[in-house]
Amino acid sequence: MNIADSLYKLWQSTGIANFVQPVDPSITSGFEQFLHQFGSPIMIVICLILLWLGIKKQFEPLLLVPIAFGGLLSNIPVADIAGPNGFLGIIYEAGIHKGLFPLIIFMGVGAMTDFGPLIANPKTALLGGAAQFGIFGALLLALCCFGFTLPQAGAIGIIGGADGPTSIYVTTKLAPELLGAIAVAAYSYMALVPVIQPPIMKLLTTKEERQIQMTQLREVTKREKIVFPLVVLGLCIILLPDACPLVGALTFGNLCKECGVVDRLSDTMQNALINIVTIFLGLSVGSKLSSDQFLTTQTLFILVLGIVAFSLATAGGVIFAKIMNLFSKEKINPLIGSAGVSAVPMAARVSNKVGLEANPQNYLLMHAMGPNVAGVIGSAVAAGILLALCN
Amino acid sequence: MNIADSLYKLWQSTGIANFVQPVDPSITSGFEQFLHQFGSPIMIVICLILLWLGIKKQFEPLLLVPIAFGGLLSNIPVADIAGPNGFLGIIYEAGIHKGLFPLIIFMGVGAMTDFGPLIANPKTALLGGAAQFGIFGALLLALCCFGFTLPQAGAIGIIGGADGPTSIYVTTKLAPELLGAIAVAAYSYMALVPVIQPPIMKLLTTKEERQIQMTQLREVTKREKIVFPLVVLGLCIILLPDACPLVGALTFGNLCKECGVVDRLSDTMQNALINIVTIFLGLSVGSKLSSDQFLTTQTLFILVLGIVAFSLATAGGVIFAKIMNLFSKEKINPLIGSAGVSAVPMAARVSNKVGLEANPQNYLLMHAMGPNVAGVIGSAVAAGILLALCN
Amino acid sequence: MNIADSLYKLWQSTGIANFVQPVDPSITSGFEQFLHQFGSPIMIVICLILLWLGIKKQFEPLLLVPIAFGGLLSNIPVADIAGPNGFLGIIYEAGIHKGLFPLIIFMGVGAMTDFGPLIANPKTALLGGAAQFGIFGALLLALCCFGFTLPQAGAIGIIGGADGPTSIYVTTKLAPELLGAIAVAAYSYMALVPVIQPPIMKLLTTKEERQIQMTQLREVTKREKIVFPLVVLGLCIILLPDACPLVGALTFGNLCKECGVVDRLSDTMQNALINIVTIFLGLSVGSKLSSDQFLTTQTLFILVLGIVAFSLATAGGVIFAKIMNLFSKEKINPLIGSAGVSAVPMAARVSNKVGLEANPQNYLLMHAMGPNVAGVIGSAVAAGILLALCN
Amino acid sequence: MNGEFLVLLEQGFALMGIGMGFVFSFLVVLVFTMGGMSKTVQFLNKLFPEEVKVVEKPGKRANVSEDEAIAVAIAVAKAQG
Amino acid sequence: MNGEFLVLLEQGFALMGIGMGFVFSFLVVLVFTMGGMSKTVQFLNKLFPEEVKVVEKPGKRANVSEDEAIAVAIAVAKAQG
Amino acid sequence: MNGEFLVLLEQGFALMGIGMGFVFSFLVVLVFTMGGMSKTVQFLNKLFPEEVKVVEKPGKRANVSEDEAIAVAIAVAKAQG
Ligand code: NA
Ligand code: NA
Ligand code: NA
């Protein structure tokens, strides 16, 4: 190898020489040709925008920053970091492909969640069910109007669950080719909950309804909190084993938190373990942000369907709260219905904030936490149904 | 797919429809047929009992809670969480099958163990040897009277080592089909040490013996503590390489603790790393609690042999301490002999407690720590012998 | 199996019986025969010396202690801990073979590095480039005078980068058979920087030059620090995608540190994650310290070339600083040039110390941090070139 | 509006009906089970009142981890010294 | 000095030239880009001055983790008690 | 009591004898090695007495981790403020 050869080899391996791919004569579609040529640089710009959203706008930065950076790395020409021998490809294969990372994160979520407000006021669980309307509404639209296949429609619907690990787990099983777009949509809209929800909530409620005060929640004993995760898991075993990996991970984390004898493990799930897995989950989900899978009309549709799903979920929760008030003496404030979409604890905070606007003395936060955590269970159950019926 | 089809498919995937398996005409034995039909629900009840033991009775909760929960998850019908594509199956394959997790936990054990009391009074190491009598006594019984094969008998014997990671490591190599039962027995009996040991200790000693006071231990220098793990590993290399993975992991952790220049690593082994691995080790050991492997007479035999092993180990340690007193001027309190079974630091605390009952001024804890930590080394050596001779 | 058989089987599995291998008649070379027979015990002694260097002399103990202990374990006869089913072999295959561990450590390095001093005085980046002369000088010697192949010479050269994870990453890709020797050389010489550098620095500078005072660095804003890692990655994408796994990991860690919205992740990268990976990286790099690969003349050559590389790198940095002074009004103290070899932050401290000897009021530490962190980037870029051209 | 669309529509509505129905059924059962659970636990708490506290206290104590305890000890020592 | 050695020598020097050249080129570009970056950022900082502080503060606050906060709270309580 | 049982019995007792013997041998050797080790180290400690303390101190200081140091610093500051 002489100087000229080395220089040529080095030039061949630069990004400049490979950024824009040469025209591939076997591709006949003009748009595909364009993507083939300029896909990677466009994706890099998109990832920089996602990074900006994560850092500057603080859109779920714990996930959006790693996802965007993973996307950046996987669109670098030549390096093939997302390929089968690249480090993001290896991490993806080991951790996401079989669903390990989302389940571990769900353990941590369980170890960080206090189901007390739900146990204190069980009927608010139904609000967490009504908000799953977003999932099935978006599924219906995706299937009938946007031409997605049934598994794809199921994966898109789950965006409406407003629950990151659940979305990633379901998408990996049903439609891994959509993982990048769905994860980006799910986390972005979760961050946008304070923007998306209030207009819908105000539209569907009267000022009087928004001012309803709720009685203070009773104290929940330690034993109830210990038994609760086992009850949820038990129901799930009887009714829907397909949801058991998700619900099992969630309830395991929660049992470890509440039982009080394995605090070492519970602390680790909430900190070192969930942080480590979040880093790798984010980076490897980002590795699916390739131009041929992301720069499609499908991605546009997914973004549209995602916001539809969030809106339907919000509406579902609020409307069902009003329906419940028709049949119940003890009135509930319909604003806490919107917290049923999960997006813990953001949606509950939104309920509280909108409630305070109507009545500055009315703190709804703890009341909204009930439907909020019920929404996590509801989404996991809905995920189990999708996994059972959509493939 | 229409509504009726979907409903049928959903019904087919519920737990109710799958909880009780239909009669399998190819199974002729009545008991096996019963297990085939009702095995999973029975195992779930057993796992709930184990959870109760862990949480309410605080039986080694750090391991029994994850083991029991793992058992719960792996007995859920349809979900197949312990199968080759289920998340517990994947973790088991990656971490337990080749012995990784028990070794990493043993590193953490090493990083948490202070061998000072043993270095200060070296001859107490022999008590940690005598207590291994439980291993070989139980092995003999398992082999000759209960019809186990030689590798199975070795794995059962190791319960008498009273050391969780060692038991799991050896069982995985010799008789993985018994892993669930042996792990449950090992951790349960370790938790029951304060119940099992005192009657045996009192039966084998006179009140005068229990009142023997021991001279205070000398101070041990930093350098001795640094050299000690290397000495143990060196002997192990010369005499029994088969014990070196276990002893190597233990001494690596201990060297990192004592050398004082890698505190970052030692802290991590004692906290984040051991906690993370404990979670996954527990869950995936629990995934071996399947009805066809656990609901057998073998499990009953293992439970019986386990308590025999612990009792023989306790007796071995106490009797050998009395024998040592016959030949030595400086008398040792035979109660510290029982600490040789390991179960660190529980067995040493039992020695202390029984000693205080006989003489309220006589604190044996530090003296009992010597045989206690020697018991860990002794069990690891015995494990090496079993690995060398039992397969 | 009777007693005699068991005893014989046990004897066969002792270290004594296997320490010295029997003469292998198929080996004709006398030296190879000697290695075949006595290689393992010799390697164990070498590993004990490395342990002593790590613990007593505090030579990069965080890595040298695990590496030496891994070497100890992998040279144990019979146990085959570094083999495909041994635990170090498994960890090596999973974490080092495809480059995962060095990249994760590089993330942690990024999360611990403050590029502020470099941003405040950009031109010092060139010193971090000049110090890469050590890499290419050693490569030239290895290739032309010591008979190494081109990939081997590249891996040896990278020792001059004075950067552990980069060295391990490159060596794994180019010449895995040299990993043990190169890792030991790289970390040992990094620890010896305070011994190797000062004489060279004093030889190449006059007392007047060593007394040059530099103006205080300006403050760097948060935004500059956030944009900087993206700029570095961007240049790397355009110019040298082969360096992107390394530079990507480094800049990801740094972005997480600086962006201020993912402190959970950044803390984890700097603590739990880097510590866990360091333990396993060290142990599994040590598993490559086998006698047939380490007890060769090549290892001697590598040790010689390593110190040559460090010396050339130091000289390169210092001389280039003097050259820069010829063309610049604002003089820089040439002592900060030697900090360009990386070995963060040791080399910068050496610059400071030698500077204080010449002028007790002249604190060069912050000025030296600029070239110091630039040296990390420079080495990663050089690594990319080697990966692109040397195989 | 062709036949295929109608098939998809039927499938979509079937899924929606079944899905929402199932989620609601699950949660309704959960609501009643929670009620039963709370009553059972409160009954048990009356039967074995002290035990609950015994379980709770070590849990809470354990929350103050060793590290924190050390930090506190040093802090107090320094603040007093 | 045979031909093979000369070939290796040429190869080695080629690598050295290219390598050092490339590393330097990279860093020279980096130096100029850093200069441009700093100027751009300082210009932006003048345009949107407050925003920077808003970004900085939560970051710094987050550095004091919950654990530490608890430890501090206990410490202060005990020191005052 | 058939022949097979006797074979198993012999095998079991053989394992017990060998196993216990080996474990004891190992620990007896360990006891003596420990004795030798302690004497050697104490001899070395006399020859190079200060070095030991130098090794010990940084270790102990390092135990007080940065996190704790920060927590303590804040605590002291608040307690004094
Ligand atoms: Na939800
Ligand atoms: Na033991
Ligand atoms: Na460098």
Side-chain angles (χ1 to χ4, degrees):
Chain A
M1 189 168 60
N2 59 19
I3 296 191
D5 287 349
S6 289
L7 270 176
Y8 183 72
K9 202 172 167 190
L10 189 60
W11 164 252
Q12 282 296 327
S13 72
T14 60
I16 313 176
N18 292 281
F19 237 119
V20 177
Q21 299 294 315
V23 172
D24 180 341
S26 73
I27 300 175
T28 51
S29 143
F31 181 67
E32 277 178 31
Q33 190 66 264
F34 174 79
L35 278 189
H36 170 74
Q37 286 193 273
F38 303 100
S40 290
I42 295 174
M43 283 310 298
I44 288 177
V45 172
I46 289 174
C47 291
L48 287 173
I49 295 170
L50 289 175
L51 262 186
W52 179 81
L53 286 175
I55 294 173
K56 180 75 176 179
K57 296 291 170 192
Q58 307 208 5
F59 270 30
E60 297 278 330
L62 289 173
L63 276 137
L64 221 50
V65 169
I67 288 177
F69 211 95
L72 212 56
L73 292 179
S74 59
N75 279 289
I76 297 174
V78 182
D80 198 27
I81 294 177
N85 287 309
F87 83 99
L88 292 187
I90 295 170
I91 296 173
Y92 180 88
E93 204 51 41
I96 308 261
H97 182 60
K98 299 210 165 168
L100 229 49
F101 286 169
L103 293 178
I104 296 172
I105 290 192
F106 228 44
M107 278 184 204
V109 170
M112 291 194 276
T113 301
D114 178 7
F115 285 104
L118 178 61
I119 302 171
N121 195 1
K123 71 179 180 192
T124 57
L126 298 180
L127 299 172
Q132 307 316 319
F133 182 64
I135 292 178
F136 296 101
L139 189 165
L140 177 72
L141 281 175
L143 187 67
C144 302
C145 310
F146 289 89
F148 287 99
T149 66
L150 183 58
Q152 288 179 329
I156 293 168
I158 202 69
I159 299 174
D163 195 84
T166 302
S167 300
I168 291 171
Y169 185 80
V170 169
T171 307
T172 316
K173 303 272 178 191
L174 292 183
E177 70 277 12
L178 302 181
L179 183 59
I182 288 180
V184 166
Y187 284 106
S188 300
Y189 291 137
M190 279 165 68
L192 285 173
V193 150
V195 179
I196 298 170
Q197 289 196 320
I200 299 168
M201 292 157 74
K202 287 177 189 162
L203 186 75
L204 295 172
T205 51
T206 63
K207 180 138 204 209
E208 286 70 41
E209 285 172 331
R210 293 202 291 277
Q211 288 176 327
I212 294 176
Q213 298 219 3
M214 295 178 68
T215 52
Q216 218 194 313
L217 293 177
R218 71 170 176 91
E219 251 191 62
V220 173
T221 64
K222 191 93 192 156
R223 275 181 179 173
E224 286 172 279
K225 288 191 179 179
I226 294 177
V227 175
F228 178 75
L230 294 172
V231 165
V232 173
L233 182 61
L235 287 182
C236 202
I237 292 175
I238 294 169
L239 296 176
L240 191 60
D242 282 301
C244 279
L246 280 167
V247 172
L250 183 79
T251 54
F252 175 61
N254 192 245
L255 183 70
C256 286
K257 169 182 187 272
E258 299 295 356
C259 73
V261 292
V262 292
D263 288 327
R264 275 180 80 105
L265 306 186
S266 153
D267 288 349
T268 299
M269 284 184 222
Q270 292 175 48
N271 294 294
L273 185 54
I274 200 174
N275 291 346
I276 291 172
V277 174
T278 299
I279 292 168
F280 293 129
L281 174 98
L283 285 174
S284 49
V285 164
S287 79
K288 293 287 141 180
L289 289 174
S290 65
S291 61
D292 56 330
Q293 292 187 348
F294 194 84
L295 294 180
T296 61
T297 44
Q298 290 198 329
T299 299
L300 267 184
F301 293 162
I302 289 171
L303 289 172
V304 170
L305 288 164
I307 198 158
V308 168
F310 268 71
S311 305
L312 290 180
T314 305
V318 174
I319 291 170
F320 193 78
K322 294 174 70 165
I323 294 173
M324 279 171 73
N325 277 348
L326 296 180
F327 298 94
S328 164
K329 261 181 300 178
E330 210 180 344
K331 301 300 179 205
I332 58 179
N333 189 317
L335 291 178
I336 72 169
S338 63
V341 303
S342 322
V344 182
M346 191 93 73
R349 286 194 196 135
V350 170
S351 299
N352 189 52
K353 188 161 156 279
V354 179
L356 286 176
E357 284 170 17
N359 173 355
Q361 307 302 320
N362 196 6
Y363 291 92
L364 292 172
L365 188 63
M366 286 317 286
H367 299 286
M369 284 310 294
N372 207 202
V373 298
V376 177
I377 297 172
S379 300
V381 171
I385 296 167
L386 296 179
L387 290 173
L389 298 184
C390 287
N391 54 32
Chain B
M1 188 166 61
N2 58 18
I3 296 192
D5 287 350
S6 288
L7 271 176
Y8 183 73
K9 202 171 168 191
L10 189 61
W11 164 253
Q12 282 296 325
S13 73
T14 61
I16 312 176
N18 292 280
F19 236 119
V20 176
Q21 299 294 315
V23 172
D24 181 341
S26 73
I27 300 176
T28 51
S29 145
F31 181 68
E32 276 177 34
Q33 190 67 264
F34 174 78
L35 278 189
H36 170 72
Q37 285 193 273
F38 302 100
S40 290
I42 295 174
M43 284 310 297
I44 288 178
V45 171
I46 290 175
C47 290
L48 287 173
I49 295 171
L50 289 175
L51 263 186
W52 179 80
L53 286 175
I55 294 173
K56 178 76 176 178
K57 297 291 170 190
Q58 307 208 3
F59 271 29
E60 297 278 330
L62 289 173
L63 275 138
L64 221 51
V65 169
I67 288 177
F69 211 95
L72 212 57
L73 292 179
S74 58
N75 278 290
I76 296 174
V78 183
D80 199 28
I81 294 178
N85 288 309
F87 83 98
L88 292 188
I90 294 169
I91 296 173
Y92 180 89
E93 204 51 40
I96 308 262
H97 182 61
K98 299 211 165 167
L100 229 49
F101 286 169
L103 294 178
I104 296 172
I105 289 193
F106 228 44
M107 278 184 202
V109 170
M112 290 194 276
T113 302
D114 177 7
F115 285 105
L118 178 61
I119 303 170
N121 195 1
K123 72 180 179 190
T124 57
L126 298 180
L127 299 172
Q132 309 314 320
F133 182 64
I135 292 178
F136 296 101
L139 189 165
L140 178 72
L141 281 174
L143 187 68
C144 302
C145 309
F146 289 88
F148 288 98
T149 66
L150 184 58
Q152 287 179 328
I156 292 168
I158 202 70
I159 298 175
D163 195 85
T166 302
S167 300
I168 292 170
Y169 185 79
V170 170
T171 306
T172 317
K173 302 272 178 190
L174 293 182
E177 70 278 11
L178 302 180
L179 183 58
I182 288 179
V184 166
Y187 284 106
S188 300
Y189 291 137
M190 279 164 67
L192 285 173
V193 150
V195 179
I196 298 171
Q197 289 196 320
I200 300 168
M201 292 158 74
K202 288 177 190 164
L203 186 75
L204 294 173
T205 51
T206 63
K207 180 139 202 208
E208 287 69 44
E209 286 173 329
R210 293 203 289 278
Q211 289 176 328
I212 296 175
Q213 299 219 1
M214 295 177 67
T215 51
Q216 217 193 315
L217 294 177
R218 71 170 176 91
E219 252 190 60
V220 174
T221 64
K222 192 93 192 158
R223 275 182 179 171
E224 286 172 278
K225 289 190 178 178
I226 294 176
V227 175
F228 178 76
L230 293 172
V231 165
V232 173
L233 181 61
L235 286 182
C236 202
I237 292 175
I238 294 170
L239 297 176
L240 191 59
D242 282 302
C244 279
L246 280 168
V247 172
L250 183 79
T251 53
F252 176 61
N254 192 245
L255 182 69
C256 286
K257 169 182 186 271
E258 300 295 357
C259 73
V261 292
V262 292
D263 289 325
R264 275 181 80 107
L265 305 186
S266 153
D267 288 349
T268 298
M269 284 184 221
Q270 292 175 48
N271 293 294
L273 185 55
I274 200 173
N275 291 346
I276 290 171
V277 174
T278 300
I279 292 168
F280 293 129
L281 175 98
L283 286 174
S284 48
V285 165
S287 79
K288 293 288 140 179
L289 289 175
S290 65
S291 60
D292 57 329
Q293 292 187 348
F294 194 83
L295 294 180
T296 61
T297 43
Q298 289 199 330
T299 300
L300 267 184
F301 294 163
I302 289 171
L303 289 173
V304 170
L305 287 165
I307 198 159
V308 169
F310 268 72
S311 306
L312 289 180
T314 306
V318 174
I319 291 170
F320 193 78
K322 294 175 70 166
I323 294 173
M324 279 172 74
N325 277 348
L326 296 180
F327 299 95
S328 163
K329 260 180 301 179
E330 208 182 345
K331 301 300 179 204
I332 57 178
N333 189 317
L335 291 178
I336 71 170
S338 63
V341 302
S342 325
V344 183
M346 192 94 73
R349 286 195 197 137
V350 170
S351 299
N352 189 52
K353 188 162 155 277
V354 178
L356 286 176
E357 284 171 16
N359 173 355
Q361 309 301 321
N362 197 7
Y363 292 92
L364 293 173
L365 188 63
M366 287 316 288
H367 299 287
M369 285 310 294
N372 206 202
V373 297
V376 177
I377 297 172
S379 300
V381 171
I385 296 167
L386 296 179
L387 290 173
L389 298 184
C390 287
N391 53 33
Chain C
M1 188 167 64
N2 58 18
I3 296 192
D5 286 350
S6 288
L7 271 176
Y8 182 72
K9 202 173 167 191
L10 188 61
W11 164 252
Q12 282 296 325
S13 73
T14 61
I16 313 176
N18 291 282
F19 236 119
V20 177
Q21 299 294 315
V23 171
D24 180 342
S26 72
I27 301 176
T28 52
S29 144
F31 181 67
E32 277 177 32
Q33 189 67 264
F34 173 79
L35 278 189
H36 169 73
Q37 287 192 271
F38 303 100
S40 291
I42 296 174
M43 284 310 297
I44 287 178
V45 171
I46 291 174
C47 290
L48 287 173
I49 296 170
L50 289 175
L51 262 186
W52 179 81
L53 287 174
I55 294 174
K56 180 75 177 181
K57 296 292 171 191
Q58 308 208 2
F59 271 30
E60 297 278 329
L62 290 174
L63 276 138
L64 222 50
V65 169
I67 288 177
F69 211 96
L72 213 57
L73 292 179
S74 58
N75 278 290
I76 297 174
V78 183
D80 198 28
I81 294 177
N85 288 309
F87 83 99
L88 292 187
I90 294 169
I91 296 174
Y92 180 88
E93 203 53 40
I96 309 261
H97 182 61
K98 298 209 166 170
L100 230 49
F101 286 168
L103 293 178
I104 296 173
I105 290 193
F106 228 44
M107 277 184 204
V109 170
M112 290 194 277
T113 302
D114 177 8
F115 285 105
L118 178 61
I119 302 171
N121 195 0
K123 72 180 179 189
T124 58
L126 298 179
L127 299 171
Q132 308 314 320
F133 183 65
I135 292 177
F136 297 101
L139 189 165
L140 179 72
L141 281 173
L143 186 69
C144 302
C145 308
F146 289 88
F148 288 98
T149 66
L150 184 57
Q152 288 179 328
I156 293 168
I158 202 69
I159 298 174
D163 195 85
T166 302
S167 300
I168 292 170
Y169 185 80
V170 170
T171 307
T172 317
K173 303 271 177 192
L174 292 183
E177 71 278 11
L178 301 180
L179 183 59
I182 288 179
V184 166
Y187 284 107
S188 300
Y189 290 137
M190 278 165 68
L192 284 172
V193 150
V195 179
I196 298 171
Q197 288 196 321
I200 299 168
M201 292 157 74
K202 288 177 190 164
L203 187 74
L204 294 173
T205 51
T206 64
K207 181 139 200 208
E208 287 70 42
E209 286 172 331
R210 293 202 289 278
Q211 289 176 328
I212 294 175
Q213 299 218 2
M214 295 177 69
T215 52
Q216 218 194 313
L217 294 177
R218 72 171 174 91
E219 252 189 64
V220 174
T221 63
K222 191 93 192 157
R223 275 183 179 172
E224 285 172 279
K225 288 190 179 179
I226 294 176
V227 175
F228 178 75
L230 294 172
V231 165
V232 173
L233 181 61
L235 287 182
C236 202
I237 292 175
I238 294 169
L239 296 175
L240 192 59
D242 282 301
C244 279
L246 280 167
V247 172
L250 184 79
T251 52
F252 175 62
N254 192 245
L255 182 69
C256 286
K257 169 182 186 271
E258 299 296 356
C259 73
V261 292
V262 292
D263 288 327
R264 275 179 81 106
L265 306 185
S266 152
D267 288 349
T268 298
M269 284 184 222
Q270 292 176 48
N271 293 294
L273 185 55
I274 201 174
N275 291 347
I276 290 172
V277 174
T278 299
I279 292 168
F280 293 129
L281 176 98
L283 286 174
S284 49
V285 165
S287 79
K288 293 289 140 178
L289 289 175
S290 65
S291 61
D292 57 329
Q293 291 187 348
F294 194 83
L295 293 179
T296 61
T297 44
Q298 289 198 328
T299 300
L300 267 184
F301 294 162
I302 288 170
L303 289 172
V304 171
L305 287 164
I307 198 158
V308 169
F310 268 71
S311 307
L312 289 180
T314 306
V318 174
I319 291 171
F320 194 78
K322 293 176 70 166
I323 294 173
M324 280 171 73
N325 277 347
L326 295 180
F327 297 95
S328 163
K329 259 181 301 177
E330 209 181 345
K331 301 299 178 202
I332 57 178
N333 190 318
L335 291 178
I336 71 170
S338 63
V341 303
S342 324
V344 183
M346 192 92 75
R349 286 194 197 136
V350 170
S351 299
N352 190 53
K353 187 162 157 277
V354 179
L356 286 176
E357 284 170 17
N359 174 354
Q361 308 302 320
N362 196 7
Y363 292 91
L364 293 172
L365 188 63
M366 287 317 287
H367 299 287
M369 285 310 294
N372 207 203
V373 297
V376 177
I377 297 172
S379 300
V381 172
I385 296 166
L386 297 178
L387 290 173
L389 297 184
C390 287
N391 55 31
Chain D
M1 212 180 267
N2 54 22
E4 207 186 316
F5 175 78
L6 283 177
V7 169
L8 286 176
L9 208 65
E10 192 201 340
Q11 198 177 15
F13 273 107
L15 268 170
M16 182 184 273
I18 293 171
M20 287 305 288
F22 195 95
V23 170
F24 264 116
S25 315
F26 187 96
L27 290 169
V28 166
V29 176
L30 182 61
V31 168
F32 284 104
T33 322
M34 269 196 278
M37 175 192 87
S38 290
K39 264 166 212 150
T40 314
V41 168
Q42 274 155 14
F43 176 73
L44 285 172
N45 281 351
K46 267 181 207 156
L47 282 185
F48 316 104
E50 289 101 335
E51 303 248 4
V52 182
K53 281 180 191 164
V54 173
V55 173
E56 260 179 272
K57 274 181 185 167
K60 277 187 189 156
R61 262 179 221 144
N63 276 335
V64 182
S65 76
E66 285 171 53
D67 286 5
E68 284 159 11
I70 295 167
V72 167
I74 300 168
V76 171
K78 290 207 179 168
Q80 292 173 339
Chain E
M1 216 181 266
N2 54 23
E4 207 186 315
F5 176 78
L6 283 177
V7 170
L8 286 175
L9 209 65
E10 192 201 339
Q11 199 177 14
F13 273 107
L15 269 170
M16 182 183 273
I18 293 170
M20 286 306 287
F22 196 95
V23 171
F24 264 115
S25 315
F26 186 96
L27 291 168
V28 167
V29 176
L30 182 62
V31 169
F32 285 104
T33 323
M34 270 195 279
M37 174 192 88
S38 291
K39 266 166 212 147
T40 315
V41 169
Q42 273 155 15
F43 177 71
L44 286 172
N45 282 350
K46 267 180 206 154
L47 282 185
F48 316 102
E50 289 100 335
E51 303 250 3
V52 180
K53 281 182 192 163
V54 173
V55 172
E56 258 179 273
K57 273 182 188 167
K60 277 187 188 157
R61 262 179 223 144
N63 277 335
V64 182
S65 75
E66 285 172 53
D67 286 5
E68 284 159 10
I70 295 166
V72 167
I74 300 168
V76 170
K78 291 208 179 168
Q80 292 173 339
Chain F
M1 211 180 267
N2 54 22
E4 207 186 314
F5 176 77
L6 284 178
V7 169
L8 285 176
L9 208 65
E10 193 202 339
Q11 198 178 15
F13 273 107
L15 269 171
M16 182 184 273
I18 294 170
M20 286 306 286
F22 196 94
V23 170
F24 264 115
S25 315
F26 186 95
L27 291 169
V28 167
V29 176
L30 182 61
V31 168
F32 284 104
T33 323
M34 269 196 278
M37 174 192 88
S38 290
K39 264 165 213 149
T40 315
V41 169
Q42 274 155 14
F43 177 73
L44 285 172
N45 282 350
K46 268 181 206 154
L47 283 185
F48 315 104
E50 289 100 336
E51 303 250 3
V52 181
K53 281 182 192 165
V54 172
V55 172
E56 260 178 89
K57 274 181 186 168
K60 278 188 187 156
R61 261 180 221 143
N63 276 336
V64 183
S65 75
E66 285 172 55
D67 287 5
E68 284 159 10
I70 294 167
V72 167
I74 299 168
V76 171
K78 290 207 180 168
Q80 292 172 342

